Amino acid sequence: MEEIRDTDKKPSEPAPRRVRISDLAQALGLTKSTVSRALNNYSDISPETRERVARVAAEMGYAPMPYAQAVRTGRVRALGLVLELDAPDRYGPFLTDFLGGITQEASLEGWTLTIASSNSREEMEDTVTRLLQEHKVDGFILPRTQVVDPRVSFLQAKHVPFVLFGRTGHGQPDPGLSWYDVDGEGAMRAAVARLAGFGHRRIAFAGSHASYNFALLRRDGYRAGLEEAGLPFDPALELMEISDRSEGAQAARQLLDLPDPPTAIVYSTDATALGAYDVARERGLTIGRELSIISYDGIPEGRMVDPPLTTFAVDSQHAGARLASLLIAQLRGAPPGELTELVAAQLEPGGSDGPPVDP
């Protein structure tokens, strides 16, 4: 029987040799150590040298071997994220976009994301320890920061790099910590100013769990907004510890049952604000006229209700990308305390707020 041969295969052609760091060093006239540190974006190598090395590496087709790089640097080029499932709102609807931002930015830099979960502080610490011992991560992204956040002291004691999504200490300086945050305090202040500008004088606030740093900052923004608008603070109009739609509805009922009820409510999150729509239907109230609502987050569900929710929106995908970028920069040698960003939430007007019926 005649043997069938693959005429396209050319076994005599040798496989192309992999470009090595020594080849780059020779082409650039630099030491292998300098080239290696430039490729890994070490801060002791000038930006001009790093750019030149990166350009020549791309031209020559250099690609690092991940395993060899991990052995050499002690890194696995992986970012860690431990989701705490005992959080009051289970991270809400922002998670998909948030994870998308992290993974996209990490991938552009040649890194990956390792995700785990925990149901308690003790389980979280065990999970972090295991990931470190098994060399599955180099550093961690910590979402949902608390006023006193045990994750911070835990990772600091282990000398593990991390970046916070949010701040700690109720707005106090975080010396030496890296963080990215959205100005929820400013958003709540602007929400009160907007409602006062419409003519509202009884403006209530429905906030989140006070153990979380963002909850206190947003509450502070509400209070500051009242003061700036020349409106008195009424403790009966301020509720906290509200985490989901049903609790948001209960807050609306409690506020509307007051002898002198509010004509507007500022909610700390969109998910809780949707509860006010349920109560408005129960009581025959028109949202945006007989009861004004402004909230914070910018979740898609807020655009689907009638009328659409006026909210201060957060770009969760951008937040994830920036957190990944800040952590990678820290892992490459940048001082954590120099890696901080505070950005504004963007107002997305809907039909849920407007002048009161009787200003």
Side-chain angles (χ1 to χ4, degrees):
M1 179 180 295
E2 183 180 358
E3 183 180 0
I4 300 176
R5 297 181 181 275
D6 184 352
T7 56
D8 293 330
K9 190 175 182 180
K10 300 178 177 60
S12 60
E13 293 182 6
R17 186 174 71 84
R18 186 184 185 92
V19 178
R20 298 170 298 185
I21 284 185
S22 57
D23 299 320
L24 294 179
Q26 183 176 0
L28 289 158
L30 300 171
T31 66
K32 290 193 294 182
S33 174
T34 298
V35 171
S36 176
R37 296 181 73 80
L39 289 170
N40 285 285
N41 284 315
Y42 278 88
S43 57
D44 61 342
I45 305 298
S46 70
E48 294 79 11
T49 299
R50 279 182 272 167
E51 182 179 349
R52 185 162 69 96
V53 170
R55 184 177 65 252
V56 172
E59 292 171 354
M60 295 179 64
Y62 170 78
M65 296 181 66
Y67 176 75
Q69 192 172 56
V71 171
R72 183 173 65 255
T73 65
R75 298 184 186 141
V76 291
R77 298 179 70 84
L79 312 179
L81 178 68
V82 179
L83 300 176
E84 296 179 281
L85 300 182
D86 57 339
D89 61 1
R90 302 291 182 90
Y91 294 89
F94 83 100
L95 189 57
T96 300
D97 289 342
F98 182 63
L99 294 178
I102 296 175
T103 53
Q104 183 175 21
E105 181 66 23
S107 180
L108 289 173
E109 294 287 342
W111 292 63
T112 59
L113 174 65
T114 299
I115 303 176
S117 62
S118 68
N119 286 292
S120 66
R121 174 183 171 182
E122 293 74 17
E123 188 176 336
M124 179 275 295
E125 293 180 355
D126 290 342
T127 300
V128 167
T129 300
R130 176 176 54 80
L131 291 173
L132 293 169
Q133 290 175 341
E134 295 176 358
H135 303 288
K136 291 183 176 178
V137 297
D138 298 304
F140 288 90
I141 294 171
L142 306 182
R144 305 300 301 272
T145 53
Q146 299 180 42
V147 178
V148 178
D149 202 313
R151 299 172 299 178
V152 170
S153 55
F154 179 73
L155 289 173
Q156 284 178 327
K158 289 182 173 293
H159 306 288
V160 176
F162 61 89
V163 60
L164 304 168
F165 187 9
R167 288 163 283 171
T168 61
H170 190 181
Q172 297 303 309
D174 287 324
L177 298 185
S178 176
W179 52 263
Y180 174 93
D181 202 3
V182 185
D183 188 9
E185 182 176 4
M188 297 294 98
R189 191 167 60 247
V192 173
R194 178 178 170 89
L195 292 167
F198 283 137
H200 292 276
R201 293 296 175 263
R202 294 283 289 171
I203 303 171
F205 178 73
S208 302
H209 285 253
S211 61
Y212 289 100
N213 206 67
F214 77 85
L216 295 185
L217 292 178
R218 293 179 201 177
R219 183 203 66 186
D220 290 351
Y222 160 73
R223 293 180 178 180
L226 291 178
E227 184 175 357
E228 291 168 4
L231 299 176
F233 170 69
D234 183 349
L237 294 180
E238 181 182 280
L239 303 178
M240 296 290 287
E241 310 300 315
I242 300 162
S243 63
D244 58 26
R245 183 167 182 157
S246 63
E247 292 179 358
Q250 183 55 41
R253 294 186 189 98
Q254 181 176 335
L255 291 166
L256 293 174
D257 285 340
L258 291 171
D260 187 9
T263 57
I265 306 174
V266 177
Y267 276 87
S268 182
T269 65
D270 287 352
T272 55
L274 295 177
Y277 281 73
D278 302 330
V279 175
R281 281 192 298 271
E282 293 171 6
R283 304 193 176 196
L285 300 175
T286 302
I287 293 286
R289 179 167 171 77
E290 294 167 295
L291 177 63
S292 283
I293 303 293
I294 299 181
S295 60
Y296 180 100
D297 271 336
I299 65 175
E301 291 85 346
R303 314 307 295 176
M304 300 175 186
V305 292
D306 184 25
L309 189 58
T310 295
T311 184
F312 284 84
V314 175
D315 189 338
S316 297
Q317 184 167 348
H318 179 72
R322 291 305 304 146
L323 285 159
S325 180
L326 292 172
L327 181 54
I328 290 171
Q330 186 183 155
L331 288 163
R332 286 170 171 166
E338 297 179 7
L339 301 171
T340 62
E341 291 184 22
L342 180 65
V343 301
Q346 299 301 312
L347 175 66
E348 290 186 353
S352 67
D353 64 328
V357 175
D358 297 311

